[in-house]
Coordinates of all heavy atoms in Angstrom, one line a residue:
M1 N 0.8 -1.2 0.0 CA 0.0 0.0 0.0 C 0.9 1.2 0.0 O 1.9 1.3 0.6 CB -0.9 0.0 1.2 CG -1.9 -1.1 1.2 SD -2.9 -1.0 2.7 CE -3.7 -2.6 2.6
S2 N 0.4 2.3 -0.6 CA 1.2 3.5 -0.7 C 0.9 4.4 0.5 O -0.1 4.3 1.1 CB 1.0 4.2 -2.0 OG -0.4 4.6 -2.1
G3 N 1.7 5.4 0.7 CA 1.4 6.4 1.7 C 1.8 5.9 3.1 O 1.4 6.5 4.1
A4 N 2.6 4.8 3.2 CA 3.0 4.3 4.5 C 3.9 5.3 5.2 O 4.7 6.0 4.6 CB 3.7 3.0 4.3
R5 N 3.6 5.5 6.4 CA 4.5 6.4 7.2 C 4.4 6.0 8.7 O 3.4 5.6 9.2 CB 4.1 7.8 7.1 CG 2.7 8.2 7.7 CD 2.5 9.6 7.5 NE 1.9 9.8 6.2 CZ 1.3 11.0 5.9 NH1 1.4 12.0 6.7 NH2 0.8 11.1 4.7
R6 N 5.6 6.1 9.3 CA 5.7 5.8 10.7 C 6.9 6.5 11.2 O 8.0 6.5 10.5 CB 5.8 4.3 11.0 CG 5.8 3.9 12.4 CD 6.2 2.4 12.6 NE 5.2 1.5 12.1 CZ 4.1 1.1 12.7 NH1 3.9 1.5 14.0 NH2 3.3 0.2 12.2
I7 N 6.8 7.3 12.2 CA 8.0 8.0 12.7 C 9.0 7.0 13.3 O 8.6 6.1 14.2 CB 7.6 9.0 13.8 CG1 6.7 10.1 13.2 CG2 8.8 9.6 14.5 CD1 6.1 11.0 14.2
E8 N 10.2 6.9 12.8 CA 11.1 5.9 13.3 C 12.3 6.6 14.1 O 12.7 6.0 15.1 CB 11.8 5.2 12.1 CG 10.8 4.4 11.2 CD 10.2 3.2 11.9 OE1 10.7 2.9 13.0 OE2 9.2 2.7 11.4
E9 N 12.7 7.8 13.7 CA 13.8 8.4 14.3 C 13.5 8.8 15.7 O 12.5 9.6 16.0 CB 14.3 9.6 13.5 CG 15.6 10.2 14.0 CD 16.0 11.3 13.0 OE1 15.9 11.1 11.8 OE2 16.5 12.3 13.5
G10 N 14.3 8.4 16.7 CA 14.1 8.8 18.1 C 13.0 8.1 18.8 O 12.6 8.5 19.9
V11 N 12.4 7.1 18.2 CA 11.2 6.4 18.8 C 11.6 5.0 19.1 O 12.1 4.3 18.2 CB 10.0 6.5 17.9 CG1 8.8 5.7 18.5 CG2 9.6 7.9 17.6
R12 N 11.4 4.5 20.3 CA 11.7 3.1 20.6 C 10.4 2.4 20.7 O 9.5 2.8 21.4 CB 12.5 3.0 21.9 CG 13.9 3.6 21.8 CD 14.6 3.7 23.1 NE 14.5 2.4 23.8 CZ 14.9 2.2 25.0 NH1 15.4 3.2 25.8 NH2 14.9 1.0 25.6
R13 N 10.3 1.3 20.0 CA 9.1 0.5 20.0 C 9.5 -1.0 20.2 O 10.6 -1.4 20.0 CB 8.4 0.6 18.6 CG 7.9 1.9 18.3 CD 7.0 1.8 17.0 NE 6.4 3.1 16.8 CZ 6.9 4.1 16.0 NH1 8.0 3.9 15.4 NH2 6.2 5.2 15.9
P14 N 8.6 -1.8 20.7 CA 8.9 -3.2 20.9 C 9.1 -3.9 19.5 O 8.7 -3.3 18.5 CB 7.6 -3.7 21.6 CG 6.5 -2.8 21.3 CD 7.2 -1.4 21.1
D15 N 9.7 -5.0 19.6 CA 9.9 -5.8 18.3 C 8.5 -6.0 17.7 O 7.5 -6.3 18.3 CB 10.5 -7.2 18.6 CG 12.0 -7.0 19.1 OD1 12.6 -5.9 18.8 OD2 12.5 -7.9 19.7
R16 N 8.6 -5.9 16.4 CA 7.3 -6.0 15.7 C 6.8 -7.5 15.6 O 7.6 -8.4 15.6 CB 7.5 -5.5 14.3 CG 7.7 -4.0 14.4 CD 7.8 -3.3 13.1 NE 8.0 -1.9 13.4 CZ 8.2 -0.9 12.5 NH1 8.1 -1.2 11.3 NH2 8.4 0.3 12.9
V17 N 5.5 -7.6 15.5 CA 4.9 -9.0 15.3 C 4.2 -8.9 13.9 O 4.1 -7.8 13.3 CB 3.9 -9.3 16.4 CG1 4.6 -9.4 17.7 CG2 2.8 -8.3 16.5
T18 N 3.9 -10.1 13.5 CA 3.2 -10.1 12.2 C 1.7 -10.4 12.4 O 1.3 -11.3 13.1 CB 3.8 -11.3 11.3 OG1 5.2 -11.0 11.1 CG2 3.1 -11.3 10.0
L19 N 0.9 -9.5 11.8 CA -0.5 -9.8 11.7 C -0.9 -10.1 10.3 O -0.1 -9.7 9.4 CB -1.4 -8.7 12.4 CG -1.4 -7.3 11.9 CD1 -2.3 -7.2 10.7 CD2 -1.7 -6.4 13.0
R20 N -2.0 -10.7 10.1 CA -2.5 -11.0 8.7 C -3.6 -10.0 8.4 O -4.6 -9.9 9.1 CB -3.0 -12.4 8.6 CG -2.0 -13.5 8.8 CD -1.1 -13.7 7.7 NE -1.8 -14.3 6.5 CZ -1.2 -14.4 5.3 NH1 0.1 -14.0 5.2 NH2 -1.9 -14.9 4.3
L21 N -3.4 -9.2 7.3 CA -4.3 -8.2 6.9 C -4.8 -8.7 5.5 O -4.1 -8.6 4.5 CB -3.7 -6.8 6.8 CG -4.6 -5.8 6.2 CD1 -5.9 -5.6 7.0 CD2 -3.8 -4.5 6.0
D22 N -6.1 -9.1 5.5 CA -6.7 -9.5 4.2 C -5.8 -10.5 3.5 O -5.6 -10.5 2.3 CB -7.0 -8.3 3.3 CG -8.1 -7.4 3.8 OD1 -8.9 -7.9 4.5 OD2 -8.1 -6.2 3.5
G23 N -5.2 -11.4 4.3 CA -4.4 -12.5 3.8 C -2.9 -12.2 3.6 O -2.2 -13.1 3.2
A24 N -2.5 -11.0 3.8 CA -1.1 -10.6 3.6 C -0.5 -10.3 4.9 O -1.1 -9.8 5.9 CB -1.0 -9.4 2.7
D25 N 0.8 -10.6 5.1 CA 1.5 -10.3 6.3 C 1.8 -8.8 6.5 O 2.1 -8.1 5.5 CB 2.9 -11.0 6.3 CG 2.8 -12.5 6.5 OD1 1.7 -12.9 6.9 OD2 3.7 -13.2 6.3
L26 N 1.6 -8.3 7.7 CA 1.9 -6.9 8.0 C 2.6 -6.8 9.3 O 2.1 -7.4 10.3 CB 0.5 -6.1 8.1 CG 0.6 -4.7 8.5 CD1 1.3 -3.8 7.5 CD2 -0.8 -4.1 8.8
A27 N 3.8 -6.2 9.3 CA 4.5 -6.0 10.5 C 3.9 -4.9 11.3 O 3.7 -3.8 10.8 CB 6.0 -5.7 10.2
A28 N 3.7 -5.1 12.6 CA 3.1 -4.1 13.5 C 3.7 -4.2 14.9 O 4.2 -5.2 15.3 CB 1.6 -4.3 13.5
C29 N 3.5 -3.2 15.6 CA 4.1 -3.1 17.0 C 3.0 -3.6 17.9 O 1.9 -3.1 18.0 CB 4.5 -1.7 17.3 SG 5.7 -1.0 16.3
P30 N 3.4 -4.6 18.8 CA 2.4 -5.1 19.8 C 1.9 -3.9 20.7 O 2.7 -3.1 21.1 CB 3.1 -6.1 20.6 CG 4.5 -6.1 20.1 CD 4.6 -5.2 18.9
G31 N 0.7 -3.8 20.9 CA 0.1 -2.8 21.8 C -0.4 -1.6 21.0 O -1.3 -0.9 21.5
E32 N 0.1 -1.3 19.8 CA -0.5 -0.2 19.1 C -1.9 -0.7 18.6 O -2.1 -1.9 18.5 CB 0.3 0.2 17.9 CG 0.5 -0.7 16.7 CD 1.4 -0.2 15.6 OE1 1.8 0.9 15.6 OE2 1.7 -1.0 14.7
S33 N -2.7 0.2 18.2 CA -4.1 -0.3 17.7 C -3.9 -0.9 16.3 O -3.0 -0.5 15.5 CB -5.0 0.9 17.7 OG -4.7 1.8 16.7
V34 N -4.8 -1.7 16.0 CA -4.9 -2.3 14.6 C -5.0 -1.1 13.6 O -4.4 -1.1 12.6 CB -6.0 -3.3 14.5 CG1 -6.3 -3.7 13.0 CG2 -5.7 -4.6 15.3
L35 N -5.8 -0.1 14.0 CA -6.0 1.0 13.1 C -4.6 1.7 12.9 O -4.3 2.1 11.7 CB -7.0 2.0 13.6 CG -7.2 3.3 12.8 CD1 -7.6 2.9 11.4 CD2 -8.1 4.2 13.5
A36 N -3.8 1.9 13.9 CA -2.5 2.6 13.8 C -1.7 1.7 12.8 O -1.0 2.3 12.0 CB -1.9 2.7 15.1
A37 N -1.7 0.4 13.0 CA -0.9 -0.4 12.1 C -1.4 -0.3 10.6 O -0.5 -0.3 9.7 CB -1.0 -1.9 12.6
L38 N -2.7 -0.3 10.4 CA -3.2 -0.2 9.1 C -2.8 1.2 8.5 O -2.4 1.3 7.3 CB -4.7 -0.3 9.1 CG -5.3 -1.7 9.5 CD1 -6.8 -1.7 9.5 CD2 -4.7 -2.8 8.7
V39 N -2.9 2.2 9.2 CA -2.6 3.6 8.7 C -1.1 3.6 8.4 O -0.7 4.2 7.4 CB -3.0 4.7 9.7 CG1 -2.5 6.0 9.3 CG2 -4.6 4.7 9.7
A40 N -0.3 3.1 9.3 CA 1.2 3.1 9.1 C 1.5 2.3 7.8 O 2.5 2.6 7.2 CB 1.9 2.5 10.3
S41 N 0.7 1.3 7.5 CA 1.0 0.6 6.3 C 0.5 1.3 5.0 O 0.8 0.8 3.9 CB 0.3 -0.8 6.3 OG -1.1 -0.7 6.1
G42 N -0.2 2.3 5.2 CA -0.7 3.1 4.0 C -2.2 2.9 3.8 O -2.7 3.5 2.9
A43 N -2.8 2.0 4.5 CA -4.2 1.7 4.3 C -5.1 3.0 4.7 O -4.9 3.5 5.8 CB -4.7 0.5 5.2
R44 N -5.9 3.3 3.9 CA -6.8 4.5 4.1 C -8.3 4.0 4.0 O -9.2 4.5 4.7 CB -6.6 5.6 3.2 CG -5.2 6.2 3.4 CD -5.0 6.9 4.7 NE -3.7 7.5 4.9 CZ -2.6 6.9 5.3 NH1 -2.7 5.6 5.7 NH2 -1.4 7.5 5.4
R45 N -8.5 3.2 3.0 CA -9.9 2.7 2.7 C -10.1 1.4 3.5 O -9.6 0.4 3.3 CB -10.0 2.4 1.2 CG -11.4 2.0 0.8 CD -11.4 1.7 -0.7 NE -12.8 1.7 -1.2 CZ -13.1 2.1 -2.4 NH1 -12.2 2.6 -3.2 NH2 -14.4 2.0 -2.8
L46 N -11.0 1.5 4.5 CA -11.2 0.4 5.4 C -12.5 -0.4 5.0 O -12.6 -1.5 5.4 CB -11.3 0.9 6.9 CG -10.0 1.5 7.4 CD1 -10.2 1.9 8.8 CD2 -8.8 0.6 7.2
R47 N -13.4 0.3 4.4 CA -14.6 -0.4 4.0 C -15.3 0.5 3.0 O -14.9 1.6 2.7 CB -15.5 -0.6 5.2 CG -16.1 0.6 5.8 CD -17.0 0.3 7.0 NE -17.6 1.5 7.5 CZ -18.8 2.0 7.1 NH1 -19.4 1.4 6.1 NH2 -19.2 3.2 7.6
D48 N -16.4 -0.1 2.4 CA -17.2 0.7 1.5 C -18.6 0.8 2.1 O -19.1 -0.1 2.8 CB -17.4 0.0 0.1 CG -16.1 -0.1 -0.6 OD1 -15.2 0.7 -0.3 OD2 -16.0 -0.9 -1.5
D49 N -19.3 1.9 1.9 CA -20.6 2.0 2.4 C -21.6 1.3 1.4 O -21.2 0.7 0.4 CB -21.0 3.5 2.7 CG -21.1 4.3 1.4 OD1 -21.1 3.8 0.3 OD2 -21.2 5.6 1.5
R50 N -22.9 1.4 1.7 CA -23.9 0.7 0.8 C -23.8 1.1 -0.6 O -24.2 0.4 -1.5 CB -25.3 0.9 1.4 CG -25.4 0.2 2.7 CD -26.8 0.3 3.2 NE -26.9 -0.3 4.6 CZ -27.6 0.2 5.6 NH1 -28.4 1.3 5.4 NH2 -27.6 -0.3 6.7
E51 N -23.4 2.4 -0.9 CA -23.3 2.9 -2.2 C -22.0 2.6 -2.9 O -21.7 3.0 -4.0 CB -23.6 4.4 -2.3 CG -25.1 4.7 -2.0 CD -25.5 4.6 -0.6 OE1 -24.8 5.0 0.3 OE2 -26.6 4.0 -0.3
G52 N -21.1 2.0 -2.1 CA -19.8 1.6 -2.7 C -18.7 2.7 -2.5 O -17.7 2.7 -3.1
T53 N -19.1 3.7 -1.7 CA -18.2 4.8 -1.4 C -17.1 4.4 -0.4 O -17.5 3.8 0.6 CB -18.9 6.1 -0.9 OG1 -19.9 6.4 -1.9 CG2 -18.0 7.3 -0.7
A54 N -15.9 4.7 -0.6 CA -14.8 4.4 0.3 C -15.0 5.1 1.7 O -15.4 6.3 1.7 CB -13.5 4.8 -0.3
R55 N -14.8 4.4 2.7 CA -14.9 4.9 4.1 C -13.5 4.7 4.8 O -12.9 3.6 4.6 CB -16.0 4.3 4.9 CG -17.3 4.4 4.2 CD -17.8 5.8 4.0 NE -18.0 6.4 5.3 CZ -18.8 7.5 5.5 NH1 -19.4 8.0 4.5 NH2 -18.8 8.1 6.7
G56 N -13.1 5.6 5.6 CA -11.9 5.4 6.4 C -12.1 5.8 7.8 O -13.2 6.3 8.2
A57 N -11.1 5.7 8.6 CA -11.2 6.0 10.0 C -11.5 7.5 10.2 O -11.0 8.4 9.4 CB -9.9 5.7 10.7
F58 N -12.2 7.9 11.2 CA -12.6 9.2 11.5 C -12.2 9.7 12.9 O -11.4 10.7 13.0 CB -14.1 9.5 11.2 CG -14.5 10.9 11.4 CD1 -14.2 11.8 10.5 CD2 -15.3 11.2 12.5 CE1 -14.6 13.1 10.7 CE2 -15.7 12.5 12.7 CZ -15.4 13.5 11.8
C59 N -12.7 9.0 13.9 CA -12.5 9.6 15.2 C -11.2 9.0 16.0 O -10.7 9.7 16.8 CB -13.7 9.3 16.1 SG -13.9 7.6 16.6
N60 N -10.8 7.8 15.6 CA -9.7 7.1 16.3 C -9.9 7.0 17.8 O -8.9 6.9 18.5 CB -8.4 7.9 16.0 CG -7.2 7.0 16.2 OD1 -7.3 5.8 16.2 ND2 -6.1 7.6 16.5
M61 N -11.2 6.9 18.2 CA -11.4 6.7 19.7 C -12.7 5.9 19.9 O -13.2 5.9 21.0 CB -11.5 8.1 20.4 CG -12.6 9.0 19.9 SD -12.5 10.5 20.8 CE -14.2 11.1 20.5
G62 N -13.1 5.1 19.0 CA -14.1 4.2 19.2 C -15.5 4.7 19.1 O -16.5 4.0 19.5
T63 N -15.7 5.9 18.6 CA -17.0 6.5 18.5 C -17.8 6.3 17.2 O -19.0 6.1 17.2 CB -16.9 8.0 18.9 OG1 -16.3 8.1 20.2 CG2 -18.3 8.6 18.9
C64 N -17.1 6.5 16.1 CA -17.7 6.6 14.8 C -18.0 5.2 14.1 O -18.8 5.2 13.2 CB -16.9 7.5 13.9 SG -15.4 6.7 13.3
S65 N -17.3 4.2 14.4 CA -17.4 2.9 13.8 C -17.0 2.8 12.4 O -17.2 1.9 11.7 CB -18.8 2.3 14.0 OG -19.1 2.1 15.3
E66 N -16.3 3.9 11.9 CA -15.9 3.9 10.5 C -14.7 2.9 10.3 O -14.4 2.6 9.1 CB -15.5 5.3 10.1 CG -16.6 6.3 10.0 CD -17.6 6.0 8.8 OE1 -17.2 5.2 8.0 OE2 -18.7 6.6 8.8
C67 N -14.1 2.5 11.3 CA -12.9 1.6 11.2 C -13.3 0.2 11.4 O -12.4 -0.6 11.7 CB -11.8 2.1 12.2 SG -12.3 1.9 13.9
T68 N -14.5 -0.2 11.4 CA -14.9 -1.5 11.7 C -14.3 -2.5 10.7 O -14.3 -2.4 9.5 CB -16.5 -1.7 11.6 OG1 -17.0 -0.8 12.5 CG2 -16.9 -3.1 11.9
V69 N -13.7 -3.6 11.3 CA -13.0 -4.6 10.6 C -13.5 -6.0 11.3 O -14.1 -5.9 12.3 CB -11.5 -4.5 10.6 CG1 -11.0 -3.3 9.8 CG2 -10.9 -4.5 12.1
W70 N -13.1 -7.1 10.7 CA -13.3 -8.4 11.3 C -11.9 -8.9 11.8 O -10.9 -8.8 11.1 CB -13.9 -9.3 10.3 CG -15.3 -9.1 10.1 CD1 -16.4 -9.7 10.6 CD2 -15.9 -8.0 9.3 NE1 -17.6 -9.2 10.2 CE2 -17.3 -8.2 9.4 CE3 -15.4 -7.0 8.5 CZ2 -18.2 -7.3 8.7 CZ3 -16.2 -6.2 7.8 CH2 -17.6 -6.3 8.0
V71 N -11.9 -9.4 13.0 CA -10.7 -9.8 13.7 C -10.8 -11.2 14.3 O -11.9 -11.5 14.8 CB -10.4 -8.8 14.8 CG1 -9.1 -9.2 15.6 CG2 -10.2 -7.4 14.3
R72 N -9.8 -11.9 14.3 CA -9.8 -13.2 15.0 C -8.3 -13.5 15.4 O -7.4 -13.0 14.8 CB -10.4 -14.3 14.3 CG -9.5 -14.9 13.2 CD -10.1 -16.2 12.6 NE -9.3 -16.7 11.5 CZ -9.7 -17.7 10.7 NH1 -10.9 -18.2 10.9 NH2 -9.0 -18.1 9.8
K73 N -8.2 -14.2 16.5 CA -6.9 -14.6 17.0 C -6.8 -16.1 16.8 O -7.7 -16.9 17.3 CB -6.8 -14.2 18.5 CG -5.6 -14.8 19.2 CD -4.5 -13.9 19.2 CE -3.4 -14.5 20.1 NZ -2.1 -13.9 19.8
G74 N -5.8 -16.5 16.1 CA -5.7 -18.0 15.8 C -6.9 -18.5 15.1 O -7.3 -18.0 14.1
A75 N -7.4 -19.6 15.6 CA -8.6 -20.3 15.0 C -9.9 -19.9 15.6 O -10.9 -20.5 15.3 CB -8.4 -21.8 15.1
A76 N -9.9 -18.8 16.4 CA -11.1 -18.3 17.0 C -12.1 -17.8 15.9 O -11.7 -17.6 14.8 CB -10.8 -17.2 18.0
A77 N -13.3 -17.6 16.3 CA -14.3 -17.1 15.4 C -14.0 -15.6 15.0 O -13.5 -14.9 15.9 CB -15.7 -17.2 16.0
W78 N -14.4 -15.2 13.9 CA -14.3 -13.8 13.5 C -15.2 -13.0 14.3 O -16.4 -13.4 14.5 CB -14.6 -13.6 12.0 CG -13.6 -14.2 11.1 CD1 -13.8 -15.4 10.4 CD2 -12.3 -13.7 10.7 NE1 -12.6 -15.6 9.6 CE2 -11.7 -14.6 9.8 CE3 -11.6 -12.6 11.1 CZ2 -10.5 -14.4 9.3 CZ3 -10.4 -12.3 10.5 CH2 -9.8 -13.2 9.6
V79 N -14.8 -11.9 14.8 CA -15.6 -10.9 15.5 C -15.5 -9.5 14.8 O -14.4 -9.2 14.4 CB -15.3 -10.8 17.0 CG1 -15.7 -12.1 17.7 CG2 -13.8 -10.5 17.2
R80 N -16.5 -8.8 14.8 CA -16.5 -7.5 14.2 C -16.1 -6.5 15.3 O -16.7 -6.4 16.3 CB -17.9 -7.1 13.7 CG -18.0 -6.1 12.7 CD -19.3 -6.0 12.0 NE -19.3 -4.9 11.1 CZ -20.3 -4.3 10.7 NH1 -21.5 -4.7 11.0 NH2 -20.2 -3.3 9.8
R81 N -15.0 -5.7 15.0 CA -14.5 -4.8 16.0 C -14.1 -3.5 15.4 O -13.9 -3.4 14.2 CB -13.2 -5.4 16.6 CG -13.4 -6.8 17.3 CD -14.1 -6.7 18.7 NE -13.4 -5.7 19.6 CZ -12.4 -6.0 20.3 NH1 -11.8 -7.2 20.3 NH2 -11.8 -5.0 21.1
R82 N -14.0 -2.5 16.2 CA -13.5 -1.2 15.7 C -12.0 -1.3 15.8 O -11.4 -1.5 16.9 CB -14.1 -0.1 16.6 CG -15.5 0.2 16.2 CD -16.2 1.0 17.3 NE -16.4 0.2 18.4 CZ -17.0 0.6 19.5 NH1 -17.4 1.8 19.6 NH2 -17.2 -0.3 20.5
A83 N -11.3 -1.1 14.7 CA -9.8 -1.3 14.6 C -9.1 -0.4 15.5 O -8.0 -0.7 16.0 CB -9.4 -1.1 13.2
C84 N -9.7 0.8 15.8 CA -9.0 1.7 16.7 C -9.0 1.3 18.2 O -8.3 1.9 19.0 CB -9.5 3.1 16.6 SG -11.3 3.3 17.1
L85 N -9.7 0.3 18.5 CA -9.8 -0.2 19.9 C -9.2 -1.6 20.1 O -9.2 -2.1 21.2 CB -11.3 -0.2 20.3 CG -12.0 1.1 20.3 CD1 -13.5 0.9 20.8 CD2 -11.3 2.1 21.2
V86 N -8.7 -2.2 19.0 CA -8.1 -3.5 19.1 C -6.6 -3.4 19.1 O -6.0 -2.9 18.2 CB -8.5 -4.4 17.9 CG1 -7.9 -5.8 18.0 CG2 -10.0 -4.5 17.9
P87 N -5.9 -3.8 20.2 CA -4.4 -3.8 20.2 C -3.8 -4.9 19.4 O -4.4 -6.0 19.3 CB -4.1 -4.0 21.7 CG -5.3 -4.6 22.3 CD -6.5 -4.3 21.5
V88 N -2.8 -4.6 18.7 CA -2.0 -5.5 17.9 C -1.4 -6.6 18.8 O -0.8 -6.2 19.9 CB -0.9 -4.8 17.1 CG1 0.0 -5.9 16.5 CG2 -1.6 -4.0 16.0
E89 N -1.5 -7.8 18.5 CA -0.8 -8.9 19.1 C -0.5 -9.9 18.1 O -1.0 -9.9 17.0 CB -1.6 -9.5 20.3 CG -3.0 -10.0 19.8 CD -3.8 -10.5 21.0 OE1 -3.3 -11.3 21.8 OE2 -4.9 -10.1 21.2
A90 N 0.5 -10.8 18.4 CA 0.9 -11.8 17.4 C -0.3 -12.7 17.1 O -1.2 -12.9 17.9 CB 2.0 -12.7 18.0
D91 N -0.2 -13.3 15.9 CA -1.3 -14.2 15.4 C -2.6 -13.6 15.2 O -3.6 -14.3 15.2 CB -1.4 -15.5 16.3 CG 0.0 -16.2 16.4 OD1 0.7 -16.2 15.3 OD2 0.3 -16.7 17.4
L92 N -2.7 -12.3 15.1 CA -4.0 -11.7 14.9 C -4.3 -11.6 13.4 O -3.4 -11.3 12.6 CB -3.9 -10.3 15.4 CG -5.2 -9.6 15.8 CD1 -6.0 -10.3 16.9 CD2 -5.0 -8.1 16.2
C93 N -5.5 -12.0 13.0 CA -5.9 -11.9 11.6 C -7.0 -10.8 11.5 O -7.9 -10.7 12.3 CB -6.5 -13.2 11.1 SG -5.3 -14.5 11.1
V94 N -6.9 -10.0 10.5 CA -7.8 -8.8 10.3 C -8.3 -8.9 8.8 O -7.5 -9.1 7.9 CB -7.1 -7.5 10.5 CG1 -8.0 -6.3 10.2 CG2 -6.5 -7.4 11.9
L95 N -9.6 -8.7 8.7 CA -10.2 -8.6 7.4 C -10.9 -7.2 7.3 O -11.6 -6.8 8.2 CB -11.2 -9.7 7.1 CG -10.7 -11.1 7.0 CD1 -11.9 -12.1 6.9 CD2 -9.8 -11.3 5.8
T96 N -10.8 -6.6 6.2 CA -11.5 -5.3 6.0 C -12.8 -5.6 5.3 O -13.5 -4.6 5.0 CB -10.7 -4.4 5.1 OG1 -10.4 -5.0 3.9 CG2 -9.4 -4.0 5.8
H97 N -13.2 -6.8 5.1 CA -14.5 -7.2 4.5 C -15.0 -8.4 5.3 O -14.3 -9.0 6.0 CB -14.3 -7.6 3.0 CG -13.2 -8.5 2.8 ND1 -13.3 -9.9 3.1 CD2 -11.9 -8.3 2.5 CE1 -12.2 -10.5 2.8 NE2 -11.3 -9.6 2.5
A98 N -16.3 -8.6 5.1 CA -16.9 -9.7 5.9 C -16.2 -11.0 5.6 O -15.9 -11.3 4.4 CB -18.4 -9.8 5.6
P99 N -16.0 -11.9 6.6 CA -15.3 -13.1 6.3 C -16.0 -14.1 5.4 O -15.3 -14.8 4.6 CB -15.2 -13.8 7.7 CG -16.0 -13.0 8.6 CD -16.3 -11.7 8.0
E100 N -17.3 -14.0 5.3 CA -18.0 -14.9 4.4 C -17.8 -14.5 2.9 O -18.0 -15.3 2.0 CB -19.5 -14.9 4.6 CG -20.2 -13.6 4.6 CD -20.2 -12.9 5.9 OE1 -19.5 -13.3 6.9 OE2 -20.9 -11.9 6.0
A101 N -17.2 -13.3 2.7 CA -16.9 -12.9 1.3 C -15.5 -13.4 0.9 O -15.2 -13.2 -0.3 CB -16.9 -11.4 1.3
T102 N -14.8 -14.1 1.8 CA -13.4 -14.5 1.4 C -13.5 -15.9 0.7 O -14.4 -16.6 0.8 CB -12.5 -14.7 2.6 OG1 -13.1 -15.6 3.5 CG2 -12.2 -13.3 3.2
Ligands
FES1 S1 -12.0 5.5 13.9 FE1 -14.0 5.9 14.8 S2 -14.5 4.1 15.9 FE2 -12.5 3.7 15.1

């Protein structure tokens, strides 16, 4: 994805872990929000509305639900969550579309 950015100089972060984003590996820092990891990777379009218009994160604090994604850890069931409220951890899988569409 283009537009990736993350401040690196002068910032100490834990070793990155790998999460799966729509089937692709994404390096992210444990403890940061899934939304922060997505934005750092360049992701801006998180879902489409009913008319097919691109939607992206808005509030970054769990209020707007614009960042809703599907998340699961390991073999657990997919759950719909707001990406700005889900901390990154190892073995996390994230879908930006409903899992039945995969
Ligand atoms: S960006 Fe608004 S709920 Fe996550």
Side-chain angles (χ1 to χ4, degrees):
M1 294 181 193
S2 64
R5 69 176 85 172
R6 186 187 294 272
I7 298 170
E8 299 291 351
E9 190 173 320
V11 178
R12 293 175 49 190
R13 294 190 173 91
D15 291 340
R16 294 185 183 178
V17 296
T18 300
L19 62 84
R20 297 283 293 172
L21 171 63
D22 292 333
D25 287 345
L26 175 65
C29 300
E32 70 180 351
S33 71
V34 167
L35 178 59
L38 297 180
V39 169
S41 77
R44 299 293 182 269
R45 184 180 195 145
L46 298 180
R47 67 179 185 89
D48 294 341
D49 67 14
R50 291 181 186 143
E51 286 75 42
T53 303
R55 307 295 300 201
F58 181 70
C59 73
N60 198 25
M61 60 182 199
T63 302
C64 72
S65 297
E66 292 291 348
C67 66
T68 300
V69 293
W70 284 259
V71 177
R72 79 173 176 189
K73 170 93 172 158
W78 291 103
V79 291
R80 201 168 176 202
R81 301 283 308 274
R82 287 165 285 182
C84 63
L85 299 180
V86 178
V88 166
E89 56 183 310
D91 300 325
L92 202 62
C93 295
V94 178
L95 293 175
T96 57
H97 49 79
E100 57 271 12
T102 57

